[in-house]
Amino acid sequence: MSYISNLESLPDELLLEVCKYLLCVDVLLSFDNLNIRMTYMISDYRRHVSLHKASYAQSYKLFTKILPKIGTQIHTLIIDNCYSALQAISFPKYFQNRMSICFPELKKIILVSFRPDPLLIFLKILDNLENLHTIDMRSLFRVPIKQQTEVLLALLQANNHRLTSIFIDDQSSHLNPIKKHLANQITCPNIINLKIEILTIYDLSVLFTIIPNIRSLSVSIHRKDNSDNMSRIFKSEILQFLTHFQLKSIERSWYLNELRLLLEKLPSIKYLSLNLRTSDLTLTNGELLQKYLFYKIEEFHYAIHYLPDQQSINYIEILNTWKNIRPIICLNNSIQNDYMFLHTLPYSSFDYLEISSSVAQSILKNQNAYKNVQRLHVDCDFTLAEAFPILSYCQRIKHSMIWLHEVDVNNPNNYNSVQDHTQENKNDILPKMPRLRRLTLVGFPPKDLYHMSTILDAAPNLFRLDLNYNTLLLLLNNESICLLLQQRITALTINNMPSCPSNAKENITRIAMTFLHLRHLYIDMRSLDTTIDLMVLCYFDEFLKQNAPLISFCADGKPSNEMKDNAEKWLIYHRNYFEGKQFAAYFNEKGSRLLIWM
């Protein structure tokens, strides 16, 4: 007896489990308005709408039909300009005069990979949204120095000063409050929670004057200013209401007296989290820190990268100063003895970890400390395997960056070999990392590039790969790695394309034949001796031959006048395939970037 099943015969729990494997845009376009049961079942997808990875055609349907219909139910909205290359420009065109009418219950907006000019336009349409209190910026593109204060104030004052929380992640451009660009005594008393990237201590002192009512502040400082003098910079600025303070500053070297002066301006601090670099031995001394800094703190988290100027490191003495203070971990290399990473337990205040592979062996003694790390940056010398001990104990990471700093001058031929190696060291095996979605390789090609297969085997959900052009070509010499790349990778970033690449057409064909499921492609062509026109068209032709489902294509470099003046017209003229198709193309002159959204 035959049995015919249909979608509605399945219970809601099972259908929602299936939905977890779909994008939010796919769920909305597939299930919305089918019937009362389905509409109720996907109510969470209607309240928290993500436009992540939407194609041009999907976005058009969402902007014109779906969002106007369900807008009154939306509480959270994610606009993704990373994988949907022109969404930041497209969205305001449809909603610029009716945001408060379409989205009256909107509470939070998440903006991904915006450039400064589209961001300023977008912020202007946020007008009188009574419930909108939070903006979360992720991967904000580099903002020119002259524009940083304008962008910062536009964020702090958006939605008619109704915002209370602004979060700018540490993958974003810094936004410095430059004093000469500020009106006299300008303040934003509405801001209670702020996470921000700035350049110097002086910028922090100016920021203090703008946000007098801040309760929670997380700030990253990226460099040391020549005039970094604490007592001179911080005069009368005091944040009376600040109770939660997180500071990351690993590019400048800190001293104990500087921290004391800074914390004097924060008299109400109850929660303190510090991630710093220092050559000052007193900043590794738990007893001194307790006496001068932490005596009034209810909860503190401390991480310090200690690089002494001359003297060697006495780890035993340092650990002894923490015995009666807090549980502490010391990661070090006893042979080199020139670097130490010291932090309190648990390592839960920070979701990122930046560390040198030179201390990899000492991490084995503290393997349970890094379960909450989501983003990992490991500095290595020659090989990927140097990062494996650290990767092994950060199994919840979503993004791993491995930076190869050196060339193996003793054996340069190693870079030409990516053949399979069956004889693996027991330390060269990785546990499963199901949450790892993105891998970035920076610097020189690793000597053991064949270990890419080890990483790919351990990360079944990896979909994005960022690497240099030369490293990519070496990877393509390995058939087993190519097979894994073909199955997994849907987003590819190719950096540092050479000025005059040899066998360019042949290599582009190899890339297209490997990444058959590619949906998002970025290529850095800024070093090319010529305009990027022919190279862009060649990539399109080759991926088109393979029927790759490309949604977004971005290329940095020098354009022809025709591309710069009208990218859509240029593309249609050279490839009539695009005539009559739904797509958008735009060349951003400020960023020297071609953006195509299909």
Side-chain angles (χ1 to χ4, degrees), residues 407-415 447:
V407 177
D408 188 359
V409 294
N410 296 321
N411 196 358
N413 292 327
N414 280 322
Y415 295 106
K447 189 171 76 172

Side-chain angles (χ1 to χ4, degrees), residues 146-256:
K146 291 182 179 179
Q147 207 174 10
Q148 287 178 15
T149 304
E150 178 188 7
V151 171
L152 175 59
L153 290 179
L155 276 166
L156 299 179
Q157 298 173 344
N159 194 29
N160 314 95
H161 298 264
R162 283 189 173 90
L163 299 178
T164 58
S165 302
I166 305 286
F167 303 108
I168 305 169
D169 76 354
D170 58 4
Q171 301 291 288
S172 293
S173 168
H174 41 76
L175 292 177
N176 301 313
I178 301 171
K179 199 165 187 177
K180 67 179 181 180
H181 296 154
L182 289 168
N184 287 336
Q185 297 181 335
I186 189 167
T187 62
C188 299
N190 52 300
I191 300 300
I192 294 174
N193 306 296
L194 178 63
K195 186 175 188 293
I196 190 171
E197 307 291 302
I198 58 177
L199 273 183
T200 67
I201 287 294
Y202 181 74
D203 297 323
L204 183 61
S205 70
V206 177
L207 186 66
F208 277 12
T209 66
I210 299 174
I211 48 173
N213 294 331
I214 194 77
R215 265 70 165 176
S216 176
L217 177 61
S218 176
V219 60
S220 294
I221 298 174
H222 285 271
R223 74 181 186 208
K224 178 179 174 64
D225 194 298
N226 292 331
S227 60
D228 269 6
N229 184 307
M230 275 305 178
S231 57
R232 187 179 63 81
I233 291 173
F234 287 92
K235 296 176 182 176
S236 58
E237 302 88 356
I238 294 179
L239 296 180
Q240 292 284 0
F241 305 107
L242 186 68
T243 58
H244 288 63
F245 183 50
Q246 184 175 69
L247 172 64
K248 175 189 173 187
S249 179
I250 58 176
E251 279 79 23
R252 79 185 296 281
S253 188
W254 283 78
Y255 296 90
L256 178 59

Side-chain angles (χ1 to χ4, degrees), residues 438 440-442 464-472 492-498 522-526 556 593:
R438 178 181 176 187
T440 302
L441 301 182
V442 184
R464 176 169 172 177
L465 180 63
D466 312 333
L467 73 178
N468 290 339
Y469 180 80
N470 290 334
T471 304
L472 174 59
L492 177 65
T493 295
I494 305 174
N495 293 311
N496 299 323
M497 197 168 180
Y522 163 79
I523 309 169
D524 177 6
M525 303 183 186
R526 287 173 294 181
D556 286 349
R593 171 168 291 190

Side-chain angles (χ1 to χ4, degrees), residues 301-394:
H301 300 268
Y302 190 61
I304 194 97
H305 298 263
Y306 178 50
L307 295 93
D309 289 332
Q310 293 180 338
Q311 73 273 27
S312 60
I313 302 172
N314 190 323
Y315 307 102
I316 304 301
E317 281 188 8
I318 290 172
L319 289 174
N320 283 338
T321 66
W322 288 89
K323 272 186 177 179
N324 302 315
I325 309 298
R326 290 288 191 281
I328 198 86
I329 276 181
C330 175
L331 303 182
N332 64 284
N333 185 317
S334 57
I335 298 174
Q336 295 178 357
N337 203 31
D338 59 356
Y339 168 73
M340 176 185 72
F341 182 50
L342 186 80
H343 66 79
T344 51
L345 288 172
Y347 190 83
S348 57
S349 177
F350 315 102
D351 62 1
Y352 55 86
L353 178 63
E354 300 177 40
I355 196 167
S356 168
S357 64
S358 65
V359 301
Q361 293 308 311
S362 61
I363 211 171
L364 300 177
K365 307 169 190 174
N366 309 288
Q367 53 188 267
N368 295 318
Y370 307 105
K371 289 184 176 180
N372 295 318
V373 173
Q374 295 186 27
R375 188 168 56 83
L376 177 66
H377 174 157
V378 186
D379 288 321
C380 301
D381 290 331
F382 307 120
T383 68
L384 294 173
E386 292 171 44
F388 283 10
I390 300 171
L391 282 168
S392 296
Y393 297 111
C394 298

Side-chain angles (χ1 to χ4, degrees), residues 46-320:
R46 296 160 67 98
R47 281 193 291 268
H48 307 288
V49 173
S50 170
L51 304 179
H52 178 60
K53 292 187 177 180
S55 69
Y56 182 89
Q58 287 177 319
S59 295
Y60 177 77
K61 189 171 181 181
L62 286 161
F63 294 164
T64 58
K65 295 181 180 180
I66 305 292
L67 295 189
K69 186 177 65 177
I70 68 170
T72 55
Q73 302 169 47
I74 297 175
H75 292 178
T76 306
L77 179 63
I78 300 176
I79 299 177
D80 171 28
N81 202 54
C82 178
Y83 297 107
S84 302
L86 289 166
Q87 209 171 83
I89 295 174
S90 181
F91 185 92
K93 292 179 181 178
Y94 292 93
F95 299 101
Q96 57 184 344
N97 296 319
R98 52 197 185 106
M99 282 291 289
S100 60
I101 298 171
C102 286
F103 309 106
E105 299 301 319
L106 189 61
K107 298 177 180 178
K108 179 179 181 179
I109 292 181
I110 299 172
L111 305 176
V112 184
S113 295
F114 271 57
R115 288 185 171 277
D117 288 341
L119 175 60
L120 289 170
I121 292 171
F122 184 88
L123 293 175
K124 287 177 182 177
I125 73 171
L126 302 181
D127 184 52
N128 287 318
L129 288 149
E130 292 187 5
N131 294 296
L132 178 63
H133 300 300
T134 303
I135 291 183
D136 187 342
M137 295 293 311
R138 300 178 186 177
S139 301
L140 172 65
F141 275 91
R142 189 184 68 83
V143 180
I145 291 177
K146 291 182 179 179
Q147 207 174 10
Q148 287 178 15
T149 304
E150 178 188 7
V151 171
L152 175 59
L153 290 179
L155 276 166
L156 299 179
Q157 298 173 344
N159 194 29
N160 314 95
H161 298 264
R162 283 189 173 90
L163 299 178
T164 58
S165 302
I166 305 286
F167 303 108
I168 305 169
D169 76 354
D170 58 4
Q171 301 291 288
S172 293
S173 168
H174 41 76
L175 292 177
N176 301 313
I178 301 171
K179 199 165 187 177
K180 67 179 181 180
H181 296 154
L182 289 168
N184 287 336
Q185 297 181 335
I186 189 167
T187 62
C188 299
N190 52 300
I191 300 300
I192 294 174
N193 306 296
L194 178 63
K195 186 175 188 293
I196 190 171
E197 307 291 302
I198 58 177
L199 273 183
T200 67
I201 287 294
Y202 181 74
D203 297 323
L204 183 61
S205 70
V206 177
L207 186 66
F208 277 12
T209 66
I210 299 174
I211 48 173
N213 294 331
I214 194 77
R215 265 70 165 176
S216 176
L217 177 61
S218 176
V219 60
S220 294
I221 298 174
H222 285 271
R223 74 181 186 208
K224 178 179 174 64
D225 194 298
N226 292 331
S227 60
D228 269 6
N229 184 307
M230 275 305 178
S231 57
R232 187 179 63 81
I233 291 173
F234 287 92
K235 296 176 182 176
S236 58
E237 302 88 356
I238 294 179
L239 296 180
Q240 292 284 0
F241 305 107
L242 186 68
T243 58
H244 288 63
F245 183 50
Q246 184 175 69
L247 172 64
K248 175 189 173 187
S249 179
I250 58 176
E251 279 79 23
R252 79 185 296 281
S253 188
W254 283 78
Y255 296 90
L256 178 59
N257 283 337
E258 291 180 324
L259 278 181
R260 290 178 63 186
L261 287 168
L262 175 59
L263 292 180
E264 284 175 3
K265 306 298 179 183
L266 315 174
S268 303
I269 284 291
K270 300 298 180 186
Y271 176 100
L272 180 63
S273 179
L274 301 173
N275 190 343
L276 309 173
R277 178 170 70 90
T278 189
S279 58
D280 180 5
L281 182 62
T282 59
L283 270 182
T284 68
N285 189 304
E287 293 169 352
L288 287 176
L289 292 171
Q290 175 75 2
K291 178 180 178 182
Y292 292 119
L293 299 184
F294 304 146
Y295 62 94
K296 61 178 181 178
I297 307 296
E298 292 178 5
E299 181 180 350
F300 83 92
H301 300 268
Y302 190 61
I304 194 97
H305 298 263
Y306 178 50
L307 295 93
D309 289 332
Q310 293 180 338
Q311 73 273 27
S312 60
I313 302 172
N314 190 323
Y315 307 102
I316 304 301
E317 281 188 8
I318 290 172
L319 289 174
N320 283 338

